[in-house]
Amino acid sequence: PTMAHSPALLVLENFIGGKFVPCSSYIDSYNPSTGDVYCRVPDSGKEEVEAAVKAAKDAFPIWSSKSPLERSQILNKLADLIEHDLEVFAQAESKDQGKTITFARTVDIPRAVHNFRFFASSVLHHITECTEMPTMGCVHYTSRAPVGVAGLISPWNLPLYLLTWKIAPAIACGNTVVAKPSEMTSVTAWMMCKLLEKAGVPPGVVNVVFGTGAKAGEALVCHPDVPLISFTGSTLTAQRITEKSAPHCKRLSLELGGKNPAIIFDDADLSRCIPTTVRSSFANQGEICLCTSRIFVQRGIYSEFLKRFVAEAKKWKTGNPSDPTIDVGALISKEHLEKVRNYVKKAQAEGARVLCGEGVDPLALPPGNQKGYFMLPTVIAEVKDESCCMQEEIFGPVTCVVAFDTEEEVVKRANGVKYGLAATVWSSNVGRVHRVAHRLQSGLVWTNCWLVRDLNLPFGGMKASGVGREGAKDSYEFFTEVKTITIKH
Ligand code: NAD
């Protein structure tokens, strides 16, 4: 379907063995803020994945035998080069994904730069274990080595941020990689490939194959020479990847969806809690796996909270993402926008109240953005816990607010979903904060804050939110194979 394309279209190419290679077929990529096709992405399949895996296999012996320091210097160089082009990357990410330029400038691209710097440093500081058995005359120690070709599959919400969170530890540990970004947001990964040679990344160490999950993604998951897959995306896709990789017994890291609760006790500092909870609900259009989507408020402050929360949410301006005063950009696609809107309709049909946003307030868009995929931050109250809006991941600018009475009750209700990724707890009672944090089924619990991350520590979800963790030590362990060696004198 390529007839009506203007010649100004951006055309991406796969990056295999250090070279850009065209593909025989392409898919359209849309600018979510205008609804126009502006880019064509290779529609790779088995053949392209085969070539990329071969290039990665060929590059492995030399790359894996380099010292950690040599690899670290290359990662730092790459970080510098991306940072040098930060503004160009931020513009591209905003155009490709629909996110605001401010978010891309302050979160996505700085974090991509930091991912390389962080792993360039952290990989130098691991120590292996050693034990002694004097009566047996033995010393045991562990040794770690890179695994081989890593398959990396990433989603569309934080494109370069999440892809580099995988590429950096994988190559820092001495693996070579074949990465498959989301077909909806491939541009910044392609731009990064242009910097690899200058950074000193040898050909074949980082290969990027563009295309759909069903074709390119699955070919990577099923390839016998790719022993590990690091995936970030939806729980449904993770189930499929688990099935498809089972015959090969692959090592999997799965970072999946969430249905994250915020629990707000009556002794919470609302002046901090309200702006942060508006941000945790609507940042990046609510398209962050860590976004809050169920807000439990203790009965005594429920009506005051709702009033102030809705007033704060209404301050968030929706519109052209390239305008630096805008807080909410466009959603990723027309289909996704429809899906998110349908959740709001279902909630209304079930008798919930929509307090602001979708269907309640007018959405005024600039002339150039009339066909973009925009939606106002939407707050829904009086939703039943069993409702799909309280159970399923919506992944848009929609949050539900409900009341609770006791600590015991709210822990049970917060845990009453299939997911377990992130939670926030707001209270000035330190004992309660600890108690509740321990009882929540959640890989991350933030109390009196949100999205404050120390990359040294494990990141990941429980239950349907994932398998495995990422972080300094966790990613190192995932991307290396450990061996126990015993020496007897
Ligand atoms: P998705 O599962 O549809 O796609 C993710 C990636 O997998 C894409 O690159 C896609 O092309 C690929 N893919 C799809 N089907 C595949 C298959 N059969 N085999 C191999 N690869 C396949 O997810 P999405 O819609 O792009 O992203 C949104 C989801 O990601 C949300 O559920 C969100 O919560 C989750 N997410 C999780 C985290 C986390 O760290 N836990 C971070 C960001 C996003």
Side-chain angles (χ1 to χ4, degrees):
T2 56
M3 275 149 29
H5 291 153
S6 82
L9 281 184
L10 180 63
V11 182
L12 309 189
E13 290 178 324
N14 288 324
F15 189 72
I16 299 174
K19 292 196 176 68
F20 285 100
V21 279
C23 195
S24 54
S25 63
Y26 288 84
I27 35 186
D28 289 338
S29 183
Y30 292 78
N31 174 340
S33 72
T34 62
D36 297 330
V37 172
Y38 86 105
C39 171
R40 303 183 70 207
V41 175
D43 184 13
S44 310
K46 271 198 182 128
E47 204 179 306
E48 290 77 12
V49 168
E50 183 63 48
V53 173
K54 182 172 182 312
K57 264 179 85 175
D58 291 348
F60 182 73
I62 292 182
W63 183 248
S64 59
S65 61
K66 281 192 190 298
S67 74
L69 186 61
E70 272 178 283
R71 292 195 293 255
S72 167
Q73 283 162 345
I74 293 172
L75 262 71
N76 274 320
K77 185 80 206 284
L78 183 55
D80 293 345
L81 291 171
I82 299 172
E83 191 171 49
H84 180 267
D85 291 348
L86 194 145
E87 182 56 25
V88 191
F89 271 97
Q91 299 273 358
E93 201 73 295
S94 167
K95 185 170 183 181
D96 203 25
Q97 206 274 343
K99 66 178 68 226
T100 65
I101 184 64
T102 306
F103 200 83
R105 263 182 202 145
T106 57
V107 180
D108 288 82
I109 310 305
R111 175 59 188 274
V113 171
H114 187 63
N115 285 338
F116 284 111
R117 289 210 180 114
F118 177 79
F119 284 105
S121 161
S122 92
V123 78
L124 301 177
H125 303 290
H126 295 295
I127 44 172
T128 54
E129 296 146 300
C130 178
T131 60
E132 289 182 72
M133 273 184 179
T135 56
M136 298 290 291
C138 286
V139 169
H140 310 270
Y141 68 95
T142 59
S143 138
R144 283 196 173 263
V147 187
V149 179
L152 313 177
I153 301 176
S154 55
W156 48 256
N157 62 331
L158 300 164
L160 194 65
Y161 172 137
L162 288 173
L163 187 64
T164 53
W165 175 238
K166 297 185 187 303
I167 293 179
I171 65 172
C173 292
N175 302 280
T176 57
V177 307
V178 176
K180 208 294 287 169
S182 167
E183 61 275 28
M184 287 187 270
T185 53
S186 295
V187 172
T188 50
W190 172 78
M191 288 168 63
M192 182 196 70
C193 293
K194 297 199 221 179
L195 304 176
L196 294 175
E197 188 181 349
K198 198 167 173 198
V201 180
V205 171
V206 175
N207 306 277
V208 184
V209 180
F210 298 102
T212 65
K215 253 175 90 180
E218 219 155 294
L220 186 56
V221 168
C222 296
H223 200 293
D225 295 335
V226 179
L228 66 177
I229 300 285
S230 175
F231 169 79
T232 299
S234 66
T235 302
L236 207 63
T237 305
Q239 287 166 349
R240 174 104 186 147
I241 289 177
T242 306
E243 250 176 61
K244 287 283 162 184
S245 61
H248 305 280
C249 295
K250 294 196 183 197
R251 188 187 291 199
L252 299 180
S253 167
L254 306 171
E255 296 289 346
L256 315 177
K259 189 67 192 171
N260 311 310
I263 300 176
I264 300 164
F265 287 99
D266 56 13
D267 60 353
D269 174 356
L270 290 186
S271 66
R272 282 165 62 205
C273 166
I274 287 173
T276 304
T277 308
V278 167
R279 198 162 58 83
S280 73
S281 298
F282 305 124
N284 204 47
Q285 300 72 244
E287 295 169 330
I288 305 180
C289 54
L290 305 167
C291 274
T292 301
S293 65
R294 296 179 294 148
I295 305 177
F296 295 93
V297 185
Q298 206 158 18
R299 185 103 37 207
I301 56 164
Y302 181 72
S303 51
E304 185 201 348
F305 177 90
L306 259 191
K307 203 167 91 211
R308 288 171 62 181
F309 186 79
V310 168
E312 188 74 22
K314 283 185 165 191
K315 287 188 200 158
W316 278 47
K317 275 168 62 188
T318 303
N320 188 348
S322 62
D323 173 348
T325 67
I326 287 295
D327 307 291
V328 183
L331 273 68
I332 185 68
S333 67
K334 201 170 182 172
E335 295 71 30
H336 189 57
L337 174 65
E338 275 319 302
K339 185 182 148 197
V340 176
R341 280 189 173 145
N342 274 331
Y343 275 106
V344 182
K345 286 198 195 111
K346 278 186 212 162
Q348 273 168 319
E350 288 167 2
R353 275 196 308 140
V354 180
L355 301 180
C356 67
E358 176 67 16
V360 176
D361 299 304
L363 171 57
L365 292 167
N369 299 106
Q370 298 290 331
K371 290 196 190 130
Y373 319 132
F374 294 92
M375 178 173 170
L376 291 168
T378 300
V379 180
I380 310 180
E382 280 122 56
V383 198
K384 295 202 175 63
D385 285 9
E386 316 78 71
S387 161
C388 60
C389 291
M390 286 286 278
Q391 291 291 324
E392 295 168 19
E393 183 183 49
I394 299 175
F395 220 55
V398 177
T399 198
C400 300
V401 189
V402 294
F404 75 92
D405 292 294
T406 67
E407 184 178 316
E408 190 63 29
E409 169 207 338
V410 78
V411 168
K412 198 158 169 253
R413 289 172 67 191
N415 287 340
V417 292
K418 69 173 183 172
Y419 295 105
L421 185 56
T424 59
V425 181
W426 292 86
S427 167
S428 50
N429 177 333
V430 74
R432 173 147 69 191
V433 155
H434 280 290
R435 269 196 316 272
V436 172
H438 279 275
R439 293 181 65 195
L440 287 173
Q441 295 166 346
S442 180
L444 304 139
V445 181
W446 279 294
T447 74
N448 300 321
C449 64
W450 178 69
L451 208 60
V452 183
R453 281 273 297 133
D454 177 347
L455 302 189
N456 283 295
L457 300 187
F459 177 95
M462 295 183 182
K463 303 200 284 189
S465 291
V467 177
R469 296 290 183 271
E470 297 179 321
K473 186 160 173 279
D474 301 86
S475 299
Y476 175 66
E477 288 176 354
F478 179 75
F479 286 112
T480 54
E481 190 82 79
V482 70
K483 191 183 284 176
T484 301
I485 299 171
T486 303
I487 311 282
K488 187 169 163 66
H489 60 69

